[in-house]
Amino acid sequence: MKRSLLSLFLSFFILSSYAQVDLSYYLPVGYTYDESIPTPKEILGYEVGEWHATHDQLVMYMKAVAEASDRVTFEEIGRTYEKRPQVLLTITSSANLGRIDQIKAERAKLRDSRTSADVENMPVVMFMGYSVHGNEPSGANASLLAAYHFAAANEIEADLADMVLLLDPALNPDGLNRFSSWVNSHKSYTMNGDPNNREFSEAWPRGRTNHYWFDLNRDWLPVQHPESRNRVRVFQDWLPNIHLDFHEMGTNSTFFFQPGVPARMHPLTPEKNLELTAKIGTYHASALDKIGSLYFNQESYDDYYYGKGSTYPDVQGSIGILFEQASSRGHLQQSANGMLSFPFTIKNQFTANLSSYEAAKEMRQELNTFMSDFYNNIENEVNADPNKAYIFGNEQDDAKSYHLADLILQHDIKVFSLNEDITVNGRRFKSENSFIVPADQPQYRLIKAMFETRDTFSDSLFYDISAWTYPMAFNLDYMALNSQILNLASTEEVTKDNLVLKPGEVIGSPGAYSYAMEWTDYYSPKAAYKLMDAGFLVRVATTEFGTTGKQFGRGTLLISKGKSGLDDQTFHQKISEIASASTVDIYALDSGSTTGVNLGSPTISPLEKPEIALLVEGGVNGYEAGEIWHLMDQRFEIPITLLPVDRIGGNTLDRYNVLIMPEGRYNSLGKSGASAIQSWVSRGGTLLAKGGAIQFLKANEIGKFNFREAAEPESGLQKAYSDYENNRGARVTGGAIFNATLDLTHPIGYGYTTSDIHTFRNDNSFMEPSENPYANPLVYTDQPLASGYLHPSNLPGIQNGSVIQISGVGRGRVVAFADNMNFRGFWFGTNKLFMNAVFFGQVIQSGTAR
């Protein structure tokens, strides 16, 4: 039997590798199809798998199917950064399409324990999401087959009366289009499958990510991008029972479907979820057996981080299913298992799509009952939990509180604002920028996942990060409350519509002696750049000063007309416009005679407008480069040059005063590139470097940095070979949160009001503190782990180690970051440390740098 299956498996490889396939290769036997529904070839002009469908072609076909079928509606749910439409097909019986709102309303009762949902008669809902990673295209191309089959197969007409299928053909339109353009433009009509072919070596940053090079499959929970917010809105609107997530993995693998490793499931996911996932898995195994495909499960991947498409549903009474298909990465590639063709990869994905459909159909009542029971039990869980609510805020900064409240609201969670200031356990929470999230609501488990800390785990291996506590990520004051503290009558519910970040304003009248802007607000860098770009003279106070009734801290900016040539009224108006657009208040000062120091003090230093270059391509880590690009472009509206590493040399860098080297390998720069960078820094430039970039600088003697060696693996005469992978994996710091102490008097610390900072790290590169104690503005504490997993052998490397370190080079300086200050776009709490290096690196005194 095994031999015959393998022969069948290889025959599919051979068939699909060297001969053009048609629909009969993919479609299941025993079905007839409505001829009024167009096939993919009739719309696209080629068979599925012959070329990689571009995003516009996917959309074109989905529209054509919807227009031809009374089972299908087409909907645009939003637009990407590159303005491509995100689309959704709703596929069900024509009768159900006429009562969609009624079905949604009935499903909403599943989350409301006060009502009784009709689980026996309610349709089951299955969401099918394809290729969130744009260069994993077999899913998106399989969506063509799914749309055709579910719209045209005559035999499923009756089934659809009890089912609603939601089909998103491309969760990452921009990445998919980038990838399809690459492989199509490198396709040979006579293929040989050579893995060395340029077709399989995408140009940096590759098609996996979105426009800003973010992995959208890590953004379901943070929802920092429009693609994510739009698809999460669909999830919350429909509450699907099954949520399919189609991916690809290495070319030499086979096919994976969940469940993953049982021990790596998040504790907040109910055991029943794993049982149902395993039961659904039997349908996949049976279907893949029939076509002779190799597969595996339960020995890889996990269900821990709730920011992925296959895990986000698991904490909400739904069943997330991950599929991973060995990738051809193009049209035909030699693999360890033989020739792997694009059509074969599509066939496997479509087969799993069909088996999921069968499982949903046959398990309809069981799945609806599971979701109903999931939410009906929430009240008991809340009663047993001593934490009844969570409060968060920041006295000095409205923006970070606003953004966290906005994030939470995306997930159908109720958030309340305070009607008055309160003090809880000695901490003051202001009404205008503090929020309460009650635990007693249907999304209790998701709320807990957002706010809890964990440092003990049943397994030491993580496919992704092990901690993401949101108030820590936002550097906000917060606490869990053991009672509601306030009657909800003394709070006000906020919604997506009434949650507003108020515009900034100028406090004072035109004709002021000078204007002052505090650096405590998250959007201060945005305002600062606009002020400089307008030609105003902007100076930074490196010490505190005060006026009557107002104290200003270090980092406060002083603004005067400079070379703008504006009269008093126009100058005041321009500053007012910048304050409003940046949501930052600016103060008009009547005199230069202030307490502490006067406004003409030499401790108030003029600032040069940042002219920023970000190194990209080559060995640069695209994720971290994209996070910086996104921060500058989307948050602060600061122009930034994406500078390829191979452009370094000569006088290229002379037009910039800030150079950013993200995590990466910079060997391609060589001695000439290193020399150009060293010369540029020596002339007064500010260089920001992270991880591997610091190692490159150290090797080329650009600044002085030392690293702690990671602890050696456990010794012994003999260890079980079978334990090697797990023991090695357990030493990886995949992503955890750490406690650090910030020097608030250092320019890197400007704008912060507490020295306690939570920082995020996801590697094992440990930076030794500088021998110069003034050059270590941010260091880990002696008890550094705040939340997440850390292997004991890595603790000595982190304890009292350096997070941020300054090293002088001639008249310039290097600001070295051990940790990622901009992690995945949602680590708002440390963004300003990074921006302080951009704006204030120029005023760090050379004697305080190593």
Side-chain angles (χ1 to χ4, degrees), residues 9 13 193 195 250-253 326-327 333-340:
F9 171 73
F13 270 125
T251 301
N252 292 323
S253 192
S327 179
Q333 186 174 176
Q334 178 73 45
S335 79
N337 295 308
M339 283 291 184
L340 180 59

PDB file of all heavy atoms in Angstrom, residues 9 13 193 195 250-253 326-327 333-340:
ATOM      1  N   PHE A   9       1.995   9.457  -5.706  1.00  0.00           N
ATOM      2  CA  PHE A   9       2.515  10.784  -5.333  1.00  0.00           C
ATOM      3  C   PHE A   9       3.506  11.296  -6.376  1.00  0.00           C
ATOM      4  O   PHE A   9       3.414  12.412  -6.866  1.00  0.00           O
ATOM      5  CB  PHE A   9       3.170  10.650  -3.957  1.00  0.00           C
ATOM      6  CG  PHE A   9       3.947  11.848  -3.507  1.00  0.00           C
ATOM      7  CD1 PHE A   9       3.312  13.003  -3.110  1.00  0.00           C
ATOM      8  CD2 PHE A   9       5.340  11.808  -3.460  1.00  0.00           C
ATOM      9  CE1 PHE A   9       4.029  14.103  -2.672  1.00  0.00           C
ATOM     10  CE2 PHE A   9       6.069  12.896  -3.034  1.00  0.00           C
ATOM     11  CZ  PHE A   9       5.410  14.050  -2.640  1.00  0.00           C
ATOM     12  N   PHE A  13       3.729  14.488  -9.406  1.00  0.00           N
ATOM     13  CA  PHE A  13       4.856  15.378  -9.670  1.00  0.00           C
ATOM     14  C   PHE A  13       5.187  15.390 -11.159  1.00  0.00           C
ATOM     15  O   PHE A  13       5.309  16.432 -11.788  1.00  0.00           O
ATOM     16  CB  PHE A  13       6.103  14.895  -8.911  1.00  0.00           C
ATOM     17  CG  PHE A  13       6.246  15.464  -7.529  1.00  0.00           C
ATOM     18  CD1 PHE A  13       6.387  14.615  -6.437  1.00  0.00           C
ATOM     19  CD2 PHE A  13       6.254  16.826  -7.312  1.00  0.00           C
ATOM     20  CE1 PHE A  13       6.538  15.121  -5.168  1.00  0.00           C
ATOM     21  CE2 PHE A  13       6.401  17.343  -6.049  1.00  0.00           C
ATOM     22  CZ  PHE A  13       6.542  16.488  -4.971  1.00  0.00           C
ATOM     23  N   GLY A 193      13.688  23.268 -13.838  1.00  0.00           N
ATOM     24  CA  GLY A 193      13.571  23.091 -12.400  1.00  0.00           C
ATOM     25  C   GLY A 193      14.846  23.315 -11.611  1.00  0.00           C
ATOM     26  O   GLY A 193      14.895  23.005 -10.414  1.00  0.00           O
ATOM     27  N   PRO A 195      17.245  24.675  -9.141  1.00  0.00           N
ATOM     28  CA  PRO A 195      17.052  25.595  -8.008  1.00  0.00           C
ATOM     29  C   PRO A 195      17.918  26.851  -8.080  1.00  0.00           C
ATOM     30  O   PRO A 195      17.642  27.827  -7.377  1.00  0.00           O
ATOM     31  CB  PRO A 195      17.448  24.742  -6.784  1.00  0.00           C
ATOM     32  CG  PRO A 195      17.282  23.327  -7.233  1.00  0.00           C
ATOM     33  CD  PRO A 195      17.644  23.327  -8.697  1.00  0.00           C
ATOM     34  N   GLY A 250       9.264  25.387   3.148  1.00  0.00           N
ATOM     35  CA  GLY A 250      10.424  25.060   2.331  1.00  0.00           C
ATOM     36  C   GLY A 250      10.140  24.065   1.218  1.00  0.00           C
ATOM     37  O   GLY A 250       9.314  23.157   1.357  1.00  0.00           O
ATOM     38  N   THR A 251      10.851  24.217   0.135  1.00  0.00           N
ATOM     39  CA  THR A 251      10.636  23.403  -1.059  1.00  0.00           C
ATOM     40  C   THR A 251      10.816  21.910  -0.791  1.00  0.00           C
ATOM     41  O   THR A 251      10.142  21.078  -1.406  1.00  0.00           O
ATOM     42  CB  THR A 251      11.605  23.857  -2.167  1.00  0.00           C
ATOM     43  OG1 THR A 251      11.369  25.238  -2.455  1.00  0.00           O
ATOM     44  CG2 THR A 251      11.429  23.044  -3.439  1.00  0.00           C
ATOM     45  N   ASN A 252      11.682  21.548   0.126  1.00  0.00           N
ATOM     46  CA  ASN A 252      11.990  20.136   0.370  1.00  0.00           C
ATOM     47  C   ASN A 252      11.063  19.483   1.388  1.00  0.00           C
ATOM     48  O   ASN A 252      11.302  18.334   1.784  1.00  0.00           O
ATOM     49  CB  ASN A 252      13.440  19.985   0.836  1.00  0.00           C
ATOM     50  CG  ASN A 252      14.426  20.313  -0.265  1.00  0.00           C
ATOM     51  OD1 ASN A 252      14.189  19.997  -1.430  1.00  0.00           O
ATOM     52  ND2 ASN A 252      15.510  20.974   0.085  1.00  0.00           N
ATOM     53  N   SER A 253      10.028  20.186   1.799  1.00  0.00           N
ATOM     54  CA  SER A 253       9.088  19.614   2.749  1.00  0.00           C
ATOM     55  C   SER A 253       7.922  18.978   1.989  1.00  0.00           C
ATOM     56  O   SER A 253       8.011  18.725   0.786  1.00  0.00           O
ATOM     57  CB  SER A 253       8.605  20.682   3.722  1.00  0.00           C
ATOM     58  OG  SER A 253       7.925  20.097   4.804  1.00  0.00           O
ATOM     59  N   ALA A 326       4.688  22.691   0.725  1.00  0.00           N
ATOM     60  CA  ALA A 326       6.035  22.856   0.174  1.00  0.00           C
ATOM     61  C   ALA A 326       5.958  23.758  -1.056  1.00  0.00           C
ATOM     62  O   ALA A 326       5.117  23.564  -1.933  1.00  0.00           O
ATOM     63  CB  ALA A 326       6.628  21.501  -0.196  1.00  0.00           C
ATOM     64  N   SER A 327       6.836  24.737  -1.115  1.00  0.00           N
ATOM     65  CA  SER A 327       6.720  25.774  -2.143  1.00  0.00           C
ATOM     66  C   SER A 327       7.590  25.494  -3.362  1.00  0.00           C
ATOM     67  O   SER A 327       8.776  25.173  -3.237  1.00  0.00           O
ATOM     68  CB  SER A 327       7.113  27.131  -1.561  1.00  0.00           C
ATOM     69  OG  SER A 327       7.019  28.137  -2.542  1.00  0.00           O
ATOM     70  N   GLN A 333      10.434  23.392  -9.720  1.00  0.00           N
ATOM     71  CA  GLN A 333      11.719  23.370  -9.024  1.00  0.00           C
ATOM     72  C   GLN A 333      12.030  21.959  -8.517  1.00  0.00           C
ATOM     73  O   GLN A 333      11.147  21.273  -7.991  1.00  0.00           O
ATOM     74  CB  GLN A 333      11.740  24.349  -7.841  1.00  0.00           C
ATOM     75  CG  GLN A 333      13.110  24.448  -7.190  1.00  0.00           C
ATOM     76  CD  GLN A 333      13.212  25.508  -6.114  1.00  0.00           C
ATOM     77  OE1 GLN A 333      14.243  25.624  -5.471  1.00  0.00           O
ATOM     78  NE2 GLN A 333      12.172  26.288  -5.917  1.00  0.00           N
ATOM     79  N   GLN A 334      13.284  21.584  -8.673  1.00  0.00           N
ATOM     80  CA  GLN A 334      13.748  20.313  -8.145  1.00  0.00           C
ATOM     81  C   GLN A 334      13.736  20.365  -6.620  1.00  0.00           C
ATOM     82  O   GLN A 334      14.198  21.324  -6.006  1.00  0.00           O
ATOM     83  CB  GLN A 334      15.172  20.042  -8.632  1.00  0.00           C
ATOM     84  CG  GLN A 334      15.786  18.743  -8.099  1.00  0.00           C
ATOM     85  CD  GLN A 334      15.182  17.520  -8.744  1.00  0.00           C
ATOM     86  OE1 GLN A 334      15.022  17.497  -9.959  1.00  0.00           O
ATOM     87  NE2 GLN A 334      14.856  16.514  -7.951  1.00  0.00           N
ATOM     88  N   SER A 335      13.187  19.319  -5.994  1.00  0.00           N
ATOM     89  CA  SER A 335      13.166  19.232  -4.534  1.00  0.00           C
ATOM     90  C   SER A 335      13.717  17.888  -4.097  1.00  0.00           C
ATOM     91  O   SER A 335      14.001  17.013  -4.931  1.00  0.00           O
ATOM     92  CB  SER A 335      11.735  19.391  -4.014  1.00  0.00           C
ATOM     93  OG  SER A 335      10.993  18.192  -4.146  1.00  0.00           O
ATOM     94  N   ALA A 336      13.842  17.703  -2.801  1.00  0.00           N
ATOM     95  CA  ALA A 336      14.321  16.434  -2.267  1.00  0.00           C
ATOM     96  C   ALA A 336      13.366  15.295  -2.602  1.00  0.00           C
ATOM     97  O   ALA A 336      13.747  14.121  -2.601  1.00  0.00           O
ATOM     98  CB  ALA A 336      14.508  16.539  -0.757  1.00  0.00           C
ATOM     99  N   ASN A 337      12.115  15.630  -2.904  1.00  0.00           N
ATOM    100  CA  ASN A 337      11.106  14.624  -3.221  1.00  0.00           C
ATOM    101  C   ASN A 337      10.833  14.513  -4.719  1.00  0.00           C
ATOM    102  O   ASN A 337       9.840  13.911  -5.122  1.00  0.00           O
ATOM    103  CB  ASN A 337       9.810  14.950  -2.492  1.00  0.00           C
ATOM    104  CG  ASN A 337       9.957  14.846  -0.990  1.00  0.00           C
ATOM    105  OD1 ASN A 337      10.418  13.837  -0.478  1.00  0.00           O
ATOM    106  ND2 ASN A 337       9.594  15.901  -0.277  1.00  0.00           N
ATOM    107  N   GLY A 338      11.664  15.131  -5.510  1.00  0.00           N
ATOM    108  CA  GLY A 338      11.465  15.097  -6.950  1.00  0.00           C
ATOM    109  C   GLY A 338      11.111  16.469  -7.484  1.00  0.00           C
ATOM    110  O   GLY A 338      11.200  17.480  -6.786  1.00  0.00           O
ATOM    111  N   MET A 339      10.687  16.539  -8.732  1.00  0.00           N
ATOM    112  CA  MET A 339      10.288  17.806  -9.332  1.00  0.00           C
ATOM    113  C   MET A 339       8.985  18.288  -8.692  1.00  0.00           C
ATOM    114  O   MET A 339       7.994  17.552  -8.643  1.00  0.00           O
ATOM    115  CB  MET A 339      10.097  17.661 -10.838  1.00  0.00           C
ATOM    116  CG  MET A 339      11.402  17.611 -11.610  1.00  0.00           C
ATOM    117  SD  MET A 339      12.247  19.223 -11.564  1.00  0.00           S
ATOM    118  CE  MET A 339      13.636  18.872 -12.649  1.00  0.00           C
ATOM    119  N   LEU A 340       9.008  19.512  -8.195  1.00  0.00           N
ATOM    120  CA  LEU A 340       7.826  20.102  -7.561  1.00  0.00           C
ATOM    121  C   LEU A 340       7.287  21.197  -8.464  1.00  0.00           C
ATOM    122  O   LEU A 340       7.967  22.199  -8.717  1.00  0.00           O
ATOM    123  CB  LEU A 340       8.191  20.672  -6.189  1.00  0.00           C
ATOM    124  CG  LEU A 340       7.072  21.334  -5.387  1.00  0.00           C
ATOM    125  CD1 LEU A 340       5.937  20.348  -5.117  1.00  0.00           C
ATOM    126  CD2 LEU A 340       7.603  21.899  -4.080  1.00  0.00           C
TER     127      LEU A 340
END
